[in-house]
Amino acid sequence: MVRKAPGNSSFDFGHTINFTMNMNIPSPKSSVHNSYVFNSGIQEAIIRAKSSKLETPRAQDYETTLLPCGYVFKLHLNSSYGDQFYIGLNGIEIYDAVHNKIPLTINNVQAIPKSIQELPNNKNDVRTLDKLIDGENYTWNDRHMWLAPYIPGQTNYLYVIFEEPVAVSMIKIWNYSKTVSRGVEELEIYADDVLIYKGFLRKAHEQGSDVDFAQSILFTNDSSIVKKERDYIYSRVGSDQEVHFYNDSKVVSKKLPNPMRMMSVHSQNNLARPMTSVTHKS
């Protein structure tokens, strides 16, 4: 199988095919090799899930499939928590079929727009893609965060790319915490362009909280994993619907999900984007 092209030329989507890795011999000491072993890795996880006592996970916004597998996991960042100009995340982790964290490098991640450095006068801003995978996720230090330009009504894209198919048991995300309104609210996740999750991200806590604001999106029913991640599962299904109140058949008031998402691109472009900058010297 050859990896599908992303449909744009915003980054180099070349696919490297490695002839030195034996796909039929898993290495139990390497999470990278385990995650890439399609046959043995996925089969082992499925057999273990079916044979063990299963735990019913807390409700998520989306009924996920078991161990989705793909080359490219694309995140659609559809809206922020109110900020009209910027959107970002603190960090992301992906776990393979046997729940080993997959080591990620800068070669594994791409984004459109790539980062805040694409804006004029922001070439030295440190909130770049590599901060998503630096391991410093539960933090309020903006030198360990990723931030990108955002326009309400348009979608930002974040890609996690592999050279071989990867089966995923969990994706763990930390929302943007320095300015919580710049965090991601609505999110979709695709594995090779197949929707595997649609829902909302938990808003980061204000600085000073001692509770980790990570959110775990599970693609497994393994009891040990469900128990471990139970406190990090988040759902707000039904809490963000449009509500109308009627009096004598007339609408007297209504609640809209998020007024920022109703703003047109044209009206947003007429507003001056506020300056934000975090450099090595600041």
Side-chain angles (χ1 to χ4, degrees):
M1 293 176 62
V2 178
R3 189 173 63 206
K4 184 187 294 186
N8 61 71
S9 58
S10 300
F11 58 88
D12 185 354
F13 51 84
H15 180 193
T16 300
I17 300 174
N18 190 346
F19 291 98
T20 62
M21 182 183 297
N22 188 336
M23 297 295 289
N24 296 318
I25 305 177
S27 173
K29 295 182 180 180
S30 171
S31 61
V32 176
H33 287 191
N34 273 343
S35 62
Y36 289 166
V37 179
F38 178 83
N39 291 327
S40 59
I42 297 179
Q43 289 177 3
E44 176 187 344
I46 292 176
I47 292 172
R48 184 173 67 175
K50 289 183 177 180
S51 62
S52 63
K53 180 181 179 182
L54 301 183
E55 180 95 0
T56 301
R58 289 179 56 184
Q60 300 185 116
D61 287 336
Y62 192 87
E63 186 174 344
T64 57
T65 187
L66 180 66
L67 302 176
C69 184
Y71 285 99
V72 179
F73 292 83
K74 180 171 64 171
L75 284 69
H76 290 202
L77 314 181
N78 293 328
S79 66
S80 72
Y81 264 103
D83 196 286
Q84 306 173 47
F85 302 98
Y86 301 101
I87 195 167
L89 294 170
N90 278 18
I92 184 170
E93 294 177 351
I94 296 184
Y95 292 76
D96 66 15
V98 290
H99 207 62
N100 293 316
K101 184 170 72 172
I102 302 173
L104 299 175
T105 70
I106 192 59
N107 294 325
N108 294 113
V109 291
Q110 294 287 348
I112 304 174
K114 192 169 185 178
S115 76
I116 197 173
Q117 287 189 349
E118 293 189 0
L119 294 175
N121 304 318
N122 281 77
K123 301 300 182 183
N124 296 320
D125 200 292
V126 298
R127 290 169 291 183
T128 48
L129 272 173
D130 57 302
K131 306 308 187 301
L132 281 175
I133 55 173
D134 67 358
E136 296 289 333
N137 303 321
Y138 175 46
T139 180
W140 287 267
N141 184 345
D142 44 13
R143 288 170 175 78
H144 295 284
M145 302 177 191
W146 167 71
L147 192 67
Y150 167 68
I151 296 177
Q154 295 187 6
T155 298
N156 286 47
Y157 300 97
L158 175 63
Y159 297 83
V160 182
I161 305 165
F162 299 100
E163 301 294 345
E164 301 291 346
V166 174
V168 170
S169 62
M170 183 180 78
I171 297 178
K172 199 164 191 174
I173 302 174
W174 287 259
N175 220 336
Y176 194 85
S177 61
K178 180 65 175 182
T179 306
V180 295
S181 62
R182 294 177 177 176
V184 176
E185 183 181 19
E186 291 179 295
L187 171 75
E188 296 175 15
I189 304 176
Y190 293 77
D192 289 344
D193 290 330
V194 176
L195 181 66
I196 60 174
Y197 179 81
K198 182 177 182 179
F200 299 90
L201 277 189
R202 179 187 312 210
K203 184 187 294 186
H205 301 318
E206 298 288 350
Q207 188 168 359
S209 171
D210 58 355
V211 179
D212 193 343
F213 47 83
Q215 180 172 337
S216 298
I217 301 172
L218 297 184
F219 302 95
T220 180
N221 55 6
D222 185 290
S223 59
S224 61
I225 299 173
V226 173
K227 288 180 180 179
K228 181 179 178 181
E229 302 298 330
R230 180 175 292 274
D231 292 338
Y232 299 109
I233 299 173
Y234 173 76
S235 175
R236 51 178 276 191
V237 172
S239 64
D240 194 30
Q241 299 178 358
E242 185 173 343
V243 179
H244 295 262
F245 295 92
Y246 292 85
N247 182 18
D248 196 19
S249 301
K250 295 181 180 180
V251 178
V252 293
S253 65
K254 64 181 180 179
K255 173 188 174 184
L256 294 177
N258 187 331
M260 295 304 175
R261 294 201 296 273
M262 309 299 291
M263 178 180 288
S264 68
V265 174
H266 174 74
S267 62
Q268 195 273 350
N269 285 335
N270 290 332
L271 300 176
R273 186 185 298 272
M275 181 63 182
T276 180
S277 178
V278 178
T279 65
H280 292 286
K281 295 181 180 180
S282 62

